[in-house]
C-alpha cells in the first residue's frame, strides 16, 4: 500500500492544467488524500467524479472556494466519516476519514492561525481543532492502524523551517502551535517522515510563492503523515516529492509493502 497526500491549493486548478489525472496514475498510490481543494463535489467535471479505477470522497466548506479535503482510493472505502463532535468544526470541510477493513486513513486540513488581519487571531480556534481531531483519532486507532495525513499548518521544530528566528511570531511556528503539535507525539502518534529521516535538514513541503523561495529551498515542513504505533510499524519508506509542481506545497507519502488494499 502506498498513501500519498498533497495540499493542492485548488483542485480545479490542477484539473485545468491537466496535472490531476496524470498525477494520480503516476503516483503509484492506493490512496491519495488532498487538502485545500476549494471545491464542492458538484462543481467538478463528470470525468473527474467518475475517474476510471478510482473512488472519490469529499468534504467541502460551506463557503465557496475555501478549504476542503478529498480522498481518492483504488478500492471503495468501507466507511467514510466527515464530521466532528463539535459543530463549529464542521462548516469548513477540514476533516475526512476513510476506513478500509481495520485501517483508517484521514485527510485533514488544519486551520492557519493567522486570521484575516494577520494578527494570529485564529490561533485559539486552531488549537481547539487540534485537540478535537486528536481525541477522535485517539479513539479510532484503538480499532486498527491509523494514518493521519495532511497539512497541519505547523512546523514542529527548527529543523522543519528554513528561517526559524524570522518566523518566531508567525502563525505556523508559534510556541503554542508547536506545543500543540508535540502533544500528538506525546500521545504516541509518530511523525513517520522524521522517524525515517532523523535529524536531516532542508526537508520542506511548503514554500512562499515569491522571492524564489522554492528554488532556494526556503521553506517549511508543515505537511505530515502521523501514524499510530501499529500503522508506523507497517511503513518501510516515507518521502517528499519536492519536484512535483502545481501547488505551493509538494506531495508527501509513505509505503507499506506488506499491506494490500486491493
Amino acid at each position: 500500500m502506498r498513501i500519498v497526500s498533497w495540499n493542492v491549493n485548488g483542485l480545479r486548478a490542477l484539473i485545468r492544467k491537466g496535472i490531476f489525472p496524470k498525477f494520480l496514475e503516476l503516483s503509484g498510490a492506493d490512496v491519495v488524500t488532498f487538502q485545500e481543494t476549494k471545491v464542492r463535489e458538484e462543481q467538478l467535471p463528470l470525468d473527474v467524479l467518475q475517474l476510471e479505477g478510482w473512488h472519490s470522497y469529499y468534504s467541502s466548506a460551506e463557503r465557496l472556494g475555501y478549504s476542503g479535503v478529498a480522498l481518492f482510493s483504488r478500492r471503495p472505502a468501507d466507511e467514510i466519516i466527515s464530521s466532528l463532535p463539535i459543530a463549529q468544526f464542521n462548516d469548513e470541510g477540514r476533516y475526512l476519514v476513510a476506513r478500509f477493513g481495520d485501517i483508517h486513513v484521514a485527510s485533514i486540513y488544519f486551520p492557519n492561525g493567522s486570521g484575516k488581519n494577520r494578527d494570529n487571531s485564529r490561533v485559539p480556534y486552531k488549537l481547539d481543532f487540534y485537540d478535537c481531531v486528536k481525541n477522535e483519532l485517539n479513539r479510532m486507532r484503538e480499532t486498527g492502524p491509523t494514518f493521519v495525513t495532511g497539512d497541519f499548518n505547523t512546523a514542529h521544530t527548527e529543523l522543519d523551517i528554513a528561517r526559524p528566528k524570522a518566523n518566531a511570531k508567525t502563525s505556523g511556528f508559534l510556541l503554542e502551535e508547536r506545543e500543540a503539535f508535540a502533544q500528538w507525539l506525546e500521545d504516541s502518534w509518530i511523525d513517520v517522515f522524521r522517524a525515517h529521516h532523523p535529524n536531516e535538514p532542508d526537508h520542506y513541503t511548503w514554500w512562499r510563492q515569491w522571492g524564489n523561495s522554492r528554488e532556494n529551498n526556503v521553506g517549511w515542513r508543515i505537511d505530515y503523515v502521523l501514524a499510530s504505533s501499529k500503522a508506523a510499524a507497517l511503513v518501510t519508506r516515507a518521502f517528499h516529492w519536492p519536484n512535483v509542481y502545481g501547488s505551493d506545497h509538494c506531495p508527501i507519502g509513505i509505503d507499506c509493502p506488506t499491506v494490500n488494499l486491493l
Side-chain angles (χ1 to χ4, degrees), residues 53-97:
W54 293 93
H55 303 269
S56 58
Y57 309 94
Y58 306 86
S59 180
S60 304
E62 293 180 5
R63 173 179 157 192
L64 287 173
Y66 178 70
S67 191
V69 291
L71 184 147
F72 281 65
S73 58
R74 287 291 191 179
R75 59 158 277 190
D78 296 309
E79 182 182 11
I80 290 292
I81 304 163
S82 59
S83 63
L84 290 160
I86 299 177
Q88 66 171 327
F89 297 136
N90 290 324
D91 59 1
E92 294 187 1
R94 295 183 178 275
Y95 181 79
L96 185 66
V97 183

Side-chain angles (χ1 to χ4, degrees), residues 223-239:
D223 302 88
Y224 300 85
V225 179
L226 298 192
S228 64
S229 56
K230 289 180 181 178
L234 302 172
V235 178
T236 60
R237 179 172 172 252
F239 52 86

Side-chain angles (χ1 to χ4, degrees), residues 198-211:
N199 303 316
E200 291 182 13
D202 304 324
H203 291 295
Y204 307 124
T205 65
W206 174 78
W207 301 263
R208 299 187 190 279
Q209 298 185 72
W210 61 84

Side-chain angles (χ1 to χ4, degrees), residues 45-209:
L46 195 61
D47 59 347
V48 170
L49 295 173
Q50 298 180 356
L51 197 59
E52 185 177 358
W54 293 93
H55 303 269
S56 58
Y57 309 94
Y58 306 86
S59 180
S60 304
E62 293 180 5
R63 173 179 157 192
L64 287 173
Y66 178 70
S67 191
V69 291
L71 184 147
F72 281 65
S73 58
R74 287 291 191 179
R75 59 158 277 190
D78 296 309
E79 182 182 11
I80 290 292
I81 304 163
S82 59
S83 63
L84 290 160
I86 299 177
Q88 66 171 327
F89 297 136
N90 290 324
D91 59 1
E92 294 187 1
R94 295 183 178 275
Y95 181 79
L96 185 66
V97 183
R99 180 177 63 82
F100 305 94
D102 65 346
I103 293 175
H104 288 92
V105 181
S107 177
I108 304 179
Y109 180 35
F110 291 82
N112 187 306
S114 294
K116 292 181 179 179
N117 299 317
R118 298 288 174 181
D119 55 0
N120 295 336
S121 59
R122 258 205 137 194
V123 170
Y125 178 91
K126 176 180 180 177
L127 300 184
D128 288 344
F129 185 91
Y130 264 60
D131 284 342
C132 180
V133 170
K134 180 162 64 68
N135 289 339
E136 286 300 292
L137 293 171
N138 280 351
R139 287 192 286 270
M140 206 170 288
R141 68 182 175 183
E142 296 301 318
T143 65
T146 301
F147 298 94
V148 186
T149 74
D151 177 0
F152 279 70
N153 256 315
T154 298
H156 179 211
T157 72
E158 291 190 357
L159 195 63
D160 302 309
I161 183 170
R163 302 282 168 78
K165 292 182 180 179
N167 289 286
K169 296 183 180 180
T170 303
S171 179
F173 200 59
L174 298 174
L175 180 59
E176 56 265 44
E177 294 170 315
R178 296 164 61 195
E179 288 175 343
F181 184 90
Q183 286 174 10
W184 283 74
L185 307 186
E186 291 168 9
D187 266 7
S188 299
W189 291 94
I190 296 166
D191 176 354
V192 182
F193 183 86
R194 189 54 72 200
H196 285 255
H197 302 270
N199 303 316
E200 291 182 13
D202 304 324
H203 291 295
Y204 307 124
T205 65
W206 174 78
W207 301 263
R208 299 187 190 279
Q209 298 185 72

